[in-house]
Amino acid sequence: MTFLIYVLKFSILIHISASSYTYGIIHNASIKIPFDIPDNLGHELQVQRCDQCLCDAFSNPKVVLLTCTENGSMNFTCQFYYFMPKRDEIQYPRNDTKIYLIQNITFEEKDDCCNTTYLIEKINAALNFKKAVFNRPLRFLVRGDNNMIVSTSKDKLIKFDRSKLEVVNEPSIPESTTVGYYDKYYYLGKDNTIRVYNEALISKITEFPVRNDLTAIRFLNDKEMLVGTALLGGFICEKQQEIFNSCINTPVVPATGQLHAFGIVDENTFYAGWYANNRNLGLYTKDQNNSWKESTSGTITQNEATSDIVIDDCKRIWAVIPEENKIFIYDQNKTHPHKITFDSKIFNLFILDNYTFVTSHETKPGLNLIQPSLNCRKPR
């Protein structure tokens, strides 16, 4: 009897050893999951050796893979997964952890959202299910305090929670046509004056003039703010102490119409767009002498008026074309834009995770939510 028990134990160990290597072990790696795994998707076990977890795994047909993490001498934690994580969720290096592949299933791939044709297909499918989330007219959309989305509606600053796009707060402000936020301060623009408030928007900290009626406020880096005007082009306002209130009189973008759009590529590069027909999107770069120059090689030929420009993670240029109810998306080659058509006039655009995005409108509904079915991998 003792001999039979020994043979049985020996057979199980051979099975475990062979099976554990059948589909492979990934050494020095773990699975990066951004949430606690619920009971219906996995379970956890504390053991003295990793091979003890294999018995549990092979006896449970739901287990797809497991990770075994060393916590100390004779102290290991096994996390069992009933689903196959994405390949992008493999975390390297983790010298204390191994991944055991229990079933002959490959890691799922995330979506290649830098494939513009694929992205457009997903967006067009999602347009049929777009959702109105705010019913008052809105114009500019910017990132506000606590990572919220912010806009203005007459004499209100509207703060939206990013995750649910619900209105969090509507503090009263002086009537403003444009808004910006950077590092604890709100910049509210009306006519040729920018008023600066703290996050609480209770009292005005300061105000300063610009040379013409304001059309746009965008932040280029931690030292420079871009200001667009109706007639005199675009200006740089430099930071003095904590506030961007030292505006240079010489425009960095020429006066050729209402300058409504800035698309920030990086701290030394931006695109500019005009609310005027037959005006190209211009690319502006800072040279070695800290002077701003237009880069003609980066010009995007476009005949339509533009109200907003956004640069996405794949370095594509999204241009909002309000008079045609369209968004043009230019690939890196900057020719032959992909076009997304809406059923109402758009003014601004704000892109969230996985290319979920919101559009603002000067007529009802003021804010639309579009949610493509995407799970994007990080751009390579």
Side-chain angles (χ1 to χ4, degrees):
M1 184 66 179
T2 303
F3 176 74
L4 289 174
I5 292 173
Y6 174 80
V7 170
L8 181 59
K9 285 184 176 179
F10 182 72
S11 300
I12 291 173
L13 287 173
I14 291 175
H15 171 73
I16 290 172
S17 178
S19 298
S20 64
Y21 287 87
T22 300
Y23 304 121
I25 299 175
I26 303 176
H27 295 274
N28 302 326
S30 186
I31 303 296
K32 180 173 57 179
I33 300 294
F35 52 82
D36 292 332
I37 299 176
D39 292 341
N40 64 328
L41 294 179
H43 70 277
E44 193 175 280
L45 189 65
Q46 303 296 323
V47 294
Q48 293 181 334
R49 301 185 313 276
C50 287
D51 57 13
Q52 291 177 292
C53 296
L54 296 175
C55 288
D56 192 277
F58 287 120
S59 63
N60 186 342
K62 293 189 294 184
V63 175
V64 174
L65 62 78
L66 66 90
T67 60
C68 184
T69 301
E70 183 177 4
N71 305 313
S73 178
M74 304 293 287
N75 182 3
F76 293 82
T77 300
C78 288
Q79 176 65 61
F80 298 82
Y81 294 83
Y82 302 163
F83 64 97
M84 182 57 78
K86 305 288 186 182
R87 185 176 299 278
D88 300 64
E89 291 164 345
I90 300 177
Q91 186 177 20
Y92 301 99
R94 282 293 302 271
N95 297 328
D96 58 351
T97 304
K98 298 176 183 177
I99 301 174
Y100 291 82
L101 306 177
I102 304 302
Q103 296 187 27
N104 188 19
I105 302 174
T106 59
F107 284 96
E108 294 183 25
E109 296 283 356
K110 287 191 175 183
D111 296 316
D112 180 10
C113 296
C114 290
N115 181 330
T116 307
T117 301
Y118 179 70
L119 175 68
I120 298 298
E121 289 176 358
K122 290 292 188 177
I123 290 175
N124 283 331
L127 286 176
N128 297 323
F129 305 97
K130 69 178 182 294
K131 179 181 178 183
V133 292
F134 189 77
N135 284 317
R136 278 177 273 160
L138 294 175
R139 284 169 62 88
F140 290 95
L141 297 173
V142 299
R143 191 183 306 277
D145 62 289
N146 294 314
N147 208 26
M148 288 186 282
I149 299 174
V150 171
S151 187
T152 58
S153 180
K154 292 186 177 180
D155 58 351
K156 298 285 187 181
L157 188 80
I158 315 297
K159 296 185 178 184
F160 297 92
D161 172 79
R162 279 170 62 101
S163 60
K164 298 180 181 179
L165 285 176
E166 296 175 346
V167 176
V168 176
N169 196 8
E170 292 188 42
S172 297
I173 58 171
E175 185 173 347
S176 303
T177 55
T178 185
V179 60
Y181 173 83
Y182 193 90
D183 193 22
K184 302 182 295 185
Y185 296 105
Y186 278 99
Y187 295 75
L188 307 176
K190 179 74 164 72
D191 299 328
N192 66 338
T193 301
I194 294 178
R195 300 172 179 86
V196 183
Y197 286 75
N198 62 10
E199 289 180 357
L201 292 155
I202 295 173
S203 59
K204 181 176 65 178
I205 294 172
T206 187
E207 67 177 50
F208 56 94
V210 293
R211 293 188 58 198
N212 194 238
D213 288 352
L214 287 153
T215 54
I217 297 173
R218 288 289 186 268
F219 294 90
L220 187 60
N221 51 53
D222 61 359
K223 297 178 181 178
E224 296 172 305
M225 176 175 73
L226 286 167
V227 173
T229 66
L231 298 175
L232 297 182
F235 297 84
I236 293 284
C237 296
E238 296 178 337
K239 182 188 284 188
Q240 299 293 317
Q241 295 181 342
E242 292 188 340
I243 296 173
F244 298 85
N245 60 353
S246 178
C247 298
I248 299 170
N249 286 329
T250 304
V252 295
V253 180
T256 55
Q258 292 189 31
L259 180 57
H260 265 273
F262 293 114
I264 309 302
V265 179
D266 57 44
E267 63 179 10
N268 296 313
T269 314
F270 66 88
Y271 278 94
W274 287 259
Y275 206 122
N277 293 326
N278 302 313
R279 187 65 177 88
N280 296 331
L281 304 184
L283 179 66
Y284 293 83
T285 60
K286 186 185 290 187
D287 63 21
Q288 294 178 344
N289 299 318
N290 282 333
S291 297
W292 288 96
K293 305 290 184 183
E294 183 173 6
S295 173
T296 55
S297 62
T299 297
I300 297 176
T301 302
Q302 183 174 288
N303 297 320
E304 297 81 4
T306 304
S307 61
D308 196 14
I309 301 171
V310 175
I311 314 300
D312 70 18
D313 291 340
C314 300
K315 303 303 181 184
R316 288 174 296 225
I317 299 98
W318 298 49
V320 176
I321 314 299
E323 301 301 331
E324 296 190 9
N325 304 344
K326 286 182 171 62
I327 294 175
F328 289 2
I329 301 179
Y330 295 90
D331 277 325
Q332 291 84 348
N333 59 18
K334 304 180 181 67
T335 58
H336 305 297
H338 302 262
K339 300 179 182 181
I340 306 170
T341 302
F342 295 78
D343 55 11
S344 61
K345 185 177 179 179
I346 315 163
F347 193 82
N348 254 201
L349 165 72
F350 196 104
I351 300 175
L352 299 160
D353 294 336
N354 292 315
Y355 288 93
T356 289
F357 62 95
V358 290
T359 55
S360 65
H361 305 259
E362 294 184 276
T363 57
K364 295 181 180 180
L367 196 67
N368 273 325
L369 170 65
I370 297 91
Q371 296 176 288
S373 178
L374 290 166
N375 188 355
C376 301
R377 72 168 67 110
K378 291 182 179 179
R380 292 187 172 90

